């Protein structure tokens, strides 16, 4: 039975109320778009902005190039930020390298880190704004000041990566090691990002008129997504294992004592390490001109003493050419308080700061007495004196004499010097012969090697296990970060040399430790949830852009397709947007007429 005129009128008024509500939603939504466009392109006014129509590109060729550069800048700044954040273990080395190059102390590593964070955050924010604008169907326009900022960020990232690859390329090994603990979480983060950007990607793909562009965009997106989904198949981490199989906690050997809490290689530094319950002490030994072994890492005395004030004409002279009576006059602690190399001075009490300021150079025999009284392992680098030194050829014998005078338990000594090893082994067989070279097991056994002392970058769980099976333990140096210590723990390392005994001592279990079953569950759930969400997003946009009805009862007919012009906020209500903003009746010719399919009488 046909509807009465009154019913049809009510129906039309009801539909016009829907249109009015969509108009109000679009109007109320404008402040959000204004903020996005304002921060991205300084387009705060509505008339300054333009919308991308279905089938059109989201921006001009120039802006498309700028958007591409923005993405590249984001990726490179992310790579460098991650690289530099994982290099924190060796910030001290970088700062002292800068000191030797420039002649003055400054925490350059921290400055580079802060700058990397700021620049990455800047381009990341711009990229988020761009994605939000694309999700709102807006044409992109990047303000010229942001274009300059993006280019600066890109230049900084490229220059930093190139310089560090050339001057500090061993840190890339640290980066690869870090993936063993961070890759599972980076994979989850990557999948989450791809899931979030599926909305604008699906929207613009569904609006493209050219099938070639559609296919290319979808091929790139789903190739990256599939790679992330399957990435765990190629991952290896020594921290993915059963909790009972990761072995005992590695021993902690204080690198030059506790150099974050006291001046390195001073008595105070070693006492701090002992108080922190370090299992061993590491140092560097030089022979004075009159034959007194003393503790000094550098070839000269400039960095860690006041030699420039006491002996201004000899500040660059090798430390081995000073007599012990001259070395006794030098201050070996004031530099620590003045430079604060680890940023830890504020954590020291006033008494400790005054004590640190008045430290002097420590003799080897005093160091050995201290270690023996607390039964601590001892390992040291022994430097051969330069040519012209009286002990140039007898430095090994002189060191052995001092060790014998100290009466230290010889089994506490990890003998590291390679020179004259067979002679030392025959004289003091109780020494734990330690090598810094990864020779074959047969060669190591022949040389009576019981421990390897290797840089952490050469960490290999497989090799550590092979050596351990032959009763050869492994010590890694210098390990300061908890994630790196956790990785060494999971790999079966026996001990590590560290600047941060205080930061590693209280670690009760490796960080990031998980079983294979736990990781598999996390990986599968992440991929499955992402796949479902992305499928729903693409299906929704495909259904919406074609105006397909969601049920089969009654169909609404539009002159260009069923319901295709009525969009939600994110689909841009094209017909409503084109209505004049001036007061006009809802039945304006700008809105296509809507017809109701009459019901067929039963």
């Amino acid at each position: 039975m046909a509807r009465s005129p009154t019913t049809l009128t009510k129906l039309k008024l009801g539909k016009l109320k829907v249109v009015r509500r969509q108009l109000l939603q679009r109007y109320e939504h404008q402040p959000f778009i204004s903020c996005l466009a304002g921060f991205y392109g300084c387009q705060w006014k509505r008339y300054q902005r333009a919308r991308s129509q279905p089938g059109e590109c989201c921006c001009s060729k120039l802006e498309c190039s700028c958007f591409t550069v923005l993405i590249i800048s984001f990726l490179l700044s992310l790579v460098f930020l991650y690289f530099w954040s994982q290099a924190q273990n060796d910030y001290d080395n970088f700062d002292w390298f800068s000191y030797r190059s420039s002649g003055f102390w400054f925490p350059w590593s921290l400055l580079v880190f802060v700058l990397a964070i700021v620049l990455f955050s800047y381009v990341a924010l711009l990229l988020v704004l761009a994605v939000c604008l694309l999700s709102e169907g807006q044409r992109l326009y990047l303000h010229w000041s942001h274009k300059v900022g993006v280019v600066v960020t890109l230049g900084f990232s490229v220059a930093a990566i190139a310089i560090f690859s050339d001057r500090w390329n061993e840190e890339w090994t640290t980066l690869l090691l870090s993936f063993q603990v961070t890759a599972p979480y980076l994979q989850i983060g990557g999948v989450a990002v791809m899931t979030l950007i599926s909305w604008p990607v699906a929207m613009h793909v569904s609006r493209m008129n050219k099938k070639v562009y559609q296919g290319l965009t979808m091929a790139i997106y789903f190739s990256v997504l599939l790679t992330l989904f399957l990435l765990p198949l190629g991952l290896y981490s020594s921290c993915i294992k059963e909790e009972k199989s990761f072995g005992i906690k590695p021993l902690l050997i204080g690198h030059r004592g506790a150099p974050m809490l006291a001046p390195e290689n001073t008595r105070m530094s070693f006492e701090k390490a002992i108080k922190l319950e370090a299992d061993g002490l590491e140092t560097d030994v030089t022979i004075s001109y009159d034959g007194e072994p003393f503790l000094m890492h550098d070839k000269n005395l400039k960095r860690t003493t006041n030699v420039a004030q006491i002996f201004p004409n000899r500040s660059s002279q090798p430390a081995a050419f000073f007599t012990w009576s001259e070395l006794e006059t030098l201050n070996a602690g004031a530099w620590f308080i003045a430079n604060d190399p680890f940023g830890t001075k504020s954590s020291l009490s006033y008494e400790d700061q005054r004590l640190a300021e008045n430290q002097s150079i420590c003799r080897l025999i005093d160091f050995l007495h201290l270690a023996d009284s607390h039964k601590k392992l001892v390992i040291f680098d022994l430097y051969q004196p330069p040519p012209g030194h009286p002990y140039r050829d007898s430095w090994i014998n002189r060191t052995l004499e001092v060790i014998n005078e100290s009466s230290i338990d010889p089994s506490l000594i990890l003998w590291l010097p390679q020179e004259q090893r067979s002679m030392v082994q025959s004289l003091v067989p109780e020494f734990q012969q330690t090598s810094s070279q990864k020779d074959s097991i047969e060669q190591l056994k022949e040389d009576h090697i019981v421990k390897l002392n290797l840089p952490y970058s050469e960490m290999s769980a497989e090799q550590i296990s092979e050596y351990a099976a032959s009763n050869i333990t492994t010590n890694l140096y210098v390990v300061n970060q908890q994630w790196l210590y956790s990785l060494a723990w999971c790999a079966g390392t026996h001990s590590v040399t560290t600047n941060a005994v205080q930061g590693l001592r209280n670690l009760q279990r490796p960080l990031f430790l998980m079983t294979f079953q736990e990781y598999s569950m996390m990986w599968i759930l992440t991929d499955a949830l992402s796949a479902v969400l992305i499928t729903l997003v693409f299906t929704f946009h495909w259904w919406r852009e074609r105006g397909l009805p969601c049920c089969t009862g009654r169909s609404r007919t539009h002159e260009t397709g069923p319901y295709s012009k009525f969009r939600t906020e994110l689909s841009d209500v094209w017909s409503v947007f084109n209505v004049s903003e001036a007061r006009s009746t809802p039945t304006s010719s700008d809105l296509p007429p809507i017809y109701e399919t009459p019901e067929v009488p039963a």
Side-chain angles (χ1 to χ4, degrees):
M1 186 174 181
R3 296 180 185 270
S4 66
T6 303
T7 303
L8 290 175
T9 301
K10 289 181 179 180
L11 178 61
K12 291 178 181 179
L13 289 175
K15 291 183 177 180
L16 292 174
K17 287 180 180 179
V18 172
V19 175
R20 179 177 178 276
R21 184 166 61 251
Q22 291 176 333
L23 275 168
L24 290 175
Q25 288 174 344
R26 168 57 61 183
Y27 179 78
E28 293 169 355
H29 201 49
Q30 287 304 312
F32 174 66
I33 300 177
S34 296
C35 288
L36 295 177
F39 286 118
Y40 186 80
C42 203
Q43 294 178 324
W44 299 95
K45 302 296 183 181
R46 185 173 179 179
Y47 67 84
Q48 295 176 312
R49 303 191 296 272
R51 302 180 60 77
S52 58
Q53 301 298 325
E56 290 184 355
C57 183
C58 60
C59 52
S60 64
K61 291 183 178 180
L62 175 62
E63 293 302 321
C64 188
S65 301
C66 292
F67 184 63
T68 302
V69 173
L70 175 61
I71 294 176
I72 296 174
S73 179
F74 169 80
L75 294 175
L76 289 179
S77 61
L78 175 61
V79 169
F80 179 71
L81 177 60
Y82 180 80
F83 166 83
W84 198 241
S85 65
Q86 299 307 310
Q88 288 185 43
N89 188 81
D90 301 318
Y91 276 5
D92 182 55
N93 295 342
F94 176 76
D95 288 336
W96 287 120
F97 171 80
S98 302
Y99 169 81
R100 289 190 291 269
S101 301
S102 63
F104 67 94
W105 168 261
F106 188 81
W108 293 106
S109 57
L110 184 61
L111 178 63
V112 173
F113 186 51
V114 171
L115 189 58
I117 291 176
V118 170
L119 293 178
F120 170 75
S121 301
Y122 171 67
V123 294
L125 177 60
L126 288 179
L127 190 59
V128 169
L129 291 174
V131 171
C132 291
L133 286 170
L134 291 175
S135 299
E136 294 295 332
Q138 298 290 318
R139 291 179 67 84
L140 295 182
Y141 171 77
L142 185 64
H143 193 260
W144 67 266
S145 60
H146 289 322
K147 292 175 182 175
V148 172
V150 170
V151 171
V152 169
T153 303
L154 180 62
F156 170 82
S157 301
V158 171
I161 291 174
I163 291 173
F164 285 108
S165 296
D166 179 57
R167 300 293 181 90
W168 215 19
N169 57 3
E170 62 270 18
E171 288 304 314
W172 289 107
T173 304
T174 306
L175 184 73
L176 296 177
L177 285 174
S178 73
F179 285 144
Q180 292 191 33
V181 294
T182 62
Y185 306 96
L186 292 176
Q187 187 260 348
I188 293 175
V191 170
V193 170
M194 294 299 291
T195 304
L196 289 175
I197 67 173
S198 65
W199 183 273
V201 170
M203 183 181 71
H204 285 278
V205 166
S206 63
R207 291 180 174 183
M208 289 179 179
N209 291 332
K210 295 184 178 180
K211 299 295 184 182
V212 175
Y213 292 159
Q214 256 186 346
L216 181 61
T217 304
M218 292 185 68
I220 294 174
Y221 176 81
F222 284 107
S223 296
V224 174
L225 184 64
L226 184 61
T227 301
L228 289 173
F229 277 176
L230 301 180
L231 188 62
L233 294 176
L235 292 181
Y236 166 76
S237 173
S238 57
C239 286
I240 299 179
K241 59 173 56 179
E242 295 299 325
E243 191 160 346
K244 296 180 180 179
S245 63
F246 58 81
I248 62 173
K249 183 177 181 178
L251 302 179
L252 296 175
I253 299 177
H255 183 237
R256 307 174 202 169
M260 291 186 174
L261 304 176
E264 65 180 58
N265 282 333
T266 62
R267 185 178 183 89
M268 179 185 178
S269 183
F270 297 116
E271 289 175 343
K272 285 282 188 182
I274 292 171
K275 187 176 181 180
L276 291 167
E277 300 181 355
D279 303 290
L281 304 172
E282 185 274 348
T283 188
D284 312 275
V285 178
T286 301
I287 310 293
S288 70
Y289 197 75
D290 54 350
E292 183 67 54
F294 65 98
L295 311 186
M296 181 60 57
H297 173 267
D298 296 0
K299 298 302 181 183
N300 60 52
L301 303 166
K302 286 195 299 183
R303 180 174 68 91
T304 58
T305 72
N306 61 341
V307 66
Q309 286 76 42
I310 306 301
F311 303 102
N313 297 326
R314 302 173 62 190
S315 60
S316 298
Q317 190 175 16
F321 281 108
F322 287 78
T323 64
W324 176 245
S325 60
E326 292 172 331
L327 294 169
E328 281 185 304
T329 65
L330 299 177
N331 181 297
W335 69 273
F336 178 80
I337 299 300
N339 295 333
D340 192 16
F342 293 97
T344 54
K345 183 177 73 173
S346 60
S347 67
L348 302 179
S349 65
Y350 177 79
E351 292 75 15
D352 278 349
Q353 291 188 35
R354 300 288 74 79
L355 181 62
E357 275 187 323
N358 294 290
Q359 291 296 298
S360 57
I361 296 176
C362 184
R363 297 187 303 168
L364 174 62
I365 194 168
D366 296 327
F367 167 75
L368 294 175
H369 283 151
L370 182 64
D372 185 52
S373 64
H374 293 88
K375 301 303 177 185
K376 300 297 181 183
L377 295 171
V378 169
I379 183 172
F380 54 83
D381 287 309
L382 179 60
Y383 300 141
Q384 183 179 15
H389 193 282
Y391 291 86
R392 166 74 176 174
D393 299 320
S394 59
W395 88 105
I396 295 288
N397 289 328
R398 177 58 187 145
T399 303
L400 291 176
E401 290 174 4
V402 172
I403 293 175
N404 185 54
E405 292 172 11
S406 70
S407 300
I408 187 174
D409 180 357
S411 65
L412 295 175
I413 303 290
L414 306 179
W415 184 260
L416 186 58
Q418 247 351 77
E419 297 82 3
Q420 303 178 34
R421 184 182 293 278
S422 58
M423 182 267 290
V424 173
Q425 166 65 21
S426 63
L427 292 176
V428 194
E430 296 86 357
F431 283 173
Q432 296 187 49
Q433 294 295 326
T434 304
S435 175
S436 57
Q437 300 176 359
K438 290 196 298 184
D439 293 325
S440 65
I441 293 178
E442 293 75 15
Q443 182 64 47
L444 295 174
K445 287 288 188 181
E446 183 179 340
D447 294 337
H448 305 283
I449 301 299
V450 297
K451 182 180 283 291
L452 291 175
N453 185 54
L454 305 172
Y456 72 84
S457 58
E458 297 184 19
M459 185 189 312
S460 167
E462 182 179 355
Q463 290 183 340
I464 289 173
S465 178
E466 290 178 0
Y467 287 127
S470 300
N471 295 319
I472 299 175
T473 59
T474 305
N475 178 71
L476 300 178
Y477 65 91
V478 174
V479 175
N480 301 320
Q481 296 294 306
Q482 290 189 344
W483 71 265
L484 197 54
Y485 181 66
S486 298
L487 193 60
W489 190 346
C490 293
T493 303
H494 179 260
S495 61
V496 300
T497 303
T498 178
N499 292 326
V501 176
Q502 71 281 3
L504 304 181
R505 170 54 62 192
N506 296 325
L507 201 63
Q508 300 302 317
R509 67 191 300 272
L511 301 178
F512 311 105
L513 180 68
M514 67 179 80
T515 65
F516 181 77
Q517 291 76 16
E518 290 173 339
Y519 177 54
S520 298
M521 182 65 67
M522 182 175 67
W523 164 38
I524 294 172
L525 287 178
T526 300
D527 287 4
L529 180 60
S530 173
V532 169
L533 291 176
I534 291 174
T535 302
L536 290 175
V537 168
F538 272 85
T539 302
F540 171 73
H541 281 285
W542 178 83
W543 166 78
R544 190 182 62 180
E545 292 301 323
R546 283 153 183 78
L548 299 178
C550 59
C551 55
T552 58
R554 298 164 58 185
S555 63
R556 293 190 175 101
T557 305
H558 188 276
E559 63 183 13
T560 59
Y563 225 35
S564 65
K565 293 293 183 178
F566 290 92
R567 310 292 188 193
T568 59
E569 289 180 2
L570 291 178
S571 62
D572 307 320
V573 190
W574 303 113
S575 62
V576 175
F577 179 76
N578 290 326
V579 177
S580 172
E581 292 184 8
R583 293 185 178 179
S584 59
T585 61
T587 56
S588 167
S589 59
D590 293 329
L591 290 175
I594 300 174
Y595 300 94
E596 179 72 13
T597 303
E599 297 180 348
V600 179

